[in-house]
């Protein structure tokens, strides 16, 4: 069964919103969704040091969303 599709912007907003709901850590970073083979992946961009805790949290959110949504072309 085909999963519903969302745009990059919709997926990025969903990740950021969920992250802000579950964490008190600042969200002063960029989250970018990009196609990867037959699915999509997330890139985390920050001006400072990358925080492993935030990165792990974002990857977990993206993994769950990836199982629910395809990336709209």
């Amino acid at each position: 069964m085909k999963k519903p599709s969302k745009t990059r912007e919709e997926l990025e907003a969903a990740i950021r919103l969920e992250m802000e709901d579950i964490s008190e850590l600042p969200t002063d970073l960029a989250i970018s969704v990009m196609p990867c083979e037959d699915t999509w992946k997330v890139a985390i961009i920050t001006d400072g040091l990358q925080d492993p805790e935030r990165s792990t949290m974002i990857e977990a959110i993206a993994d769950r969303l990836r199982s629910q949504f395809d990336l709209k072309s």
Side-chain angles (χ1 to χ4, degrees):
M1 190 167 136
K2 189 167 170 67
K3 298 180 276 188
S5 296
K6 288 193 177 273
T7 65
R8 290 175 51 158
E9 293 81 9
E10 289 171 323
L11 290 167
E12 291 163 1
I15 292 167
R16 182 172 295 281
L17 182 65
E18 189 166 331
M19 189 179 110
E20 289 171 351
D21 282 347
I22 62 175
S23 173
E24 293 181 13
L25 295 171
T27 55
D28 57 341
L29 47 79
I31 300 168
S32 180
V33 169
M34 60 195 75
C36 181
E37 296 178 14
D38 63 345
T39 187
W40 55 273
K41 66 180 183 176
V42 66
I44 305 160
I45 303 120
T46 181
D47 287 339
L49 294 174
Q50 193 122 8
D51 179 350
E53 185 178 332
R54 282 197 296 182
S55 296
T56 301
M57 181 176 28
I58 291 167
E59 288 292 342
I61 294 167
D63 286 344
R64 188 179 49 71
L65 291 174
R66 195 176 298 110
S67 71
Q68 296 174 346
F69 302 104
D70 285 330
L71 179 61
K72 192 178 285 185
S73 306

